Amino acid sequence: MFRGGWLVLEPWITPSVFENTKNDAVIDEYTMGQLLDSETALNILQQHWDTWITEDDFVAIRTAGLNHVRIPLGYWSVPLTSSDTNGSTNVAPYTPGAWPYLLKGLNWAKKHSINVILDIHGAPGSQNGYDNSGQRTPDPVWALNSANVSRTIDTLRFVVKNLGGLVSVIELLNEPAGFRGDNWAQTIKQFWLDGYDAVRQAGGAGIKVMIGDAFLGVQHEYQIFSDAELDRSMDEHIAVRVLFKKALGHPYALHSLHAHILTAFLPMNLRISGQL
């Protein structure tokens, strides 16, 4: 279960939060902090944090028989101090304050026996230029500045040291843009190695580590950005995917990650060795 839109805003998930700013130029958390005064921005965010996810959601997740929840987190919400990093601890123009809400969510998950995948969804300089990184920009610079990468490593280390007992899986970074060039791809590959080492050093072997493909190899697809897509049943989502792959000449080419996830929802007569 994905708890997106809570501690990292995404306009397509929570459009009302942005509408409430009364400023069309506010398109992500970066511009919210940049264009609103700090008190107004914090009031809007606290109202959202208090109401978007509550303990009742964790009860519902458990009642539905689900046992994992993924919680995205922006680096600006992690209270690094000068003793935790050799770099900057400044998060401007972002509005900090979500950390106590994260702690609340983690304890709700523990109370209701739900495992947590904690995901670094926004990194300094933006790892992809998408609003889900905190900053929508045509020129993300996370991979172009070693200080950004180092700070992300320090953030992971802090999170694992302080929250390791409440988190089952740490996702090192959501959707870094490996497609932006060889320099980005190489930086990301090294970051996976260094991030893994940082997690192991800080938390031992007790916490699992998750990485993505950085858009460099494993094909994935979203069917969530229109009402028609959202209205599809699970079988319809899969049927659309299969038809698309057939059109490309690969009738059973659904990649393994999707196969493992989606076939759990298929009727038995459609399950074929874990693939479609």
Side-chain angles (χ1 to χ4, degrees):
M1 176 64 69
F2 175 53
R3 295 290 81 191
W6 184 29
L7 304 182
V8 178
L9 296 180
E10 300 187 38
W12 72 275
I13 299 178
T14 58
S16 61
V17 175
F18 292 89
E19 292 164 3
N20 288 340
T21 68
K22 312 299 183 185
N23 187 337
D24 291 341
V26 176
I27 57 172
D28 50 29
E29 286 202 48
Y30 189 94
T31 50
M32 179 176 286
Q34 191 177 50
L35 300 176
L36 302 182
D37 67 82
S38 58
E39 183 177 354
T40 299
L42 184 58
N43 286 340
I44 289 172
L45 287 168
Q46 285 180 330
Q47 170 67 17
H48 172 69
W49 295 332
D50 278 324
T51 57
W52 182 250
I53 297 296
T54 69
E55 185 174 0
D56 288 344
D57 293 291
F58 288 85
V59 172
I61 290 167
R62 188 61 188 172
T63 301
L66 303 175
N67 58 15
H68 280 74
V69 63
R70 179 172 176 253
I71 302 178
L73 183 68
Y75 83 94
W76 58 90
S77 297
V78 179
L80 284 184
T81 69
S82 57
S83 64
D84 304 307
T85 179
N86 291 324
S88 172
T89 59
N90 181 32
V91 299
Y94 290 105
T95 304
W99 185 257
Y101 294 89
L102 172 64
L103 297 178
K104 193 181 296 187
L106 294 177
N107 281 287
W108 286 335
K110 181 179 180 180
K111 178 179 177 180
H112 298 287
S113 302
I114 298 170
N115 297 292
V116 173
I117 302 169
L118 188 61
D119 154 42
I120 302 301
H121 219 69
S126 178
Q127 75 273 18
N128 53 33
Y130 303 151
D131 51 41
N132 64 27
S133 74
Q135 183 182 14
R136 187 197 303 174
T137 173
D139 299 305
V141 296
W142 173 78
L144 306 181
N145 185 335
S146 61
N148 291 333
V149 180
S150 296
R151 182 168 182 175
T152 310
I153 297 289
D154 292 338
T155 299
L156 287 165
R157 187 179 293 109
F158 180 94
V159 165
V160 173
K161 281 182 177 180
N162 288 274
L163 304 178
L166 296 170
V167 174
S168 300
V169 182
I170 185 80
E171 184 175 354
L172 299 184
L173 188 60
N174 179 68
E175 296 182 342
F179 56 81
R180 296 193 67 88
D182 289 344
N183 54 343
W184 276 76
Q186 292 305 315
T187 296
I188 292 164
K189 289 176 183 177
Q190 188 60 49
F191 170 75
W192 291 150
L193 298 173
D194 295 341
Y196 179 88
D197 287 344
V199 170
R200 286 287 167 261
Q201 291 165 10
I207 187 169
K208 297 177 176 63
V209 175
M210 179 185 294
I211 65 171
D213 71 338
F215 302 98
L216 291 174
V218 179
Q219 188 178 41
H220 66 283
E221 171 186 325
Y222 292 111
Q223 297 183 30
I224 56 175
F225 294 116
S226 71
D227 290 340
E229 290 171 306
L230 292 172
D231 286 342
R232 290 173 187 159
S233 68
M234 183 59 67
D235 285 352
E236 288 169 338
H237 278 293
I238 296 167
V240 167
R241 175 65 175 175
V242 171
L243 288 173
F244 175 72
K245 295 308 294 183
K246 282 184 177 179
L248 295 179
H250 301 284
Y252 304 115
L254 186 64
H255 77 66
S256 60
L257 177 60
H258 274 206
H260 287 308
I261 294 173
L262 295 182
T263 53
F265 298 94
L266 286 172
M268 284 301 295
N269 63 339
L270 292 182
R271 299 183 193 178
I272 306 173
S273 301
Q275 294 201 357
L276 299 177

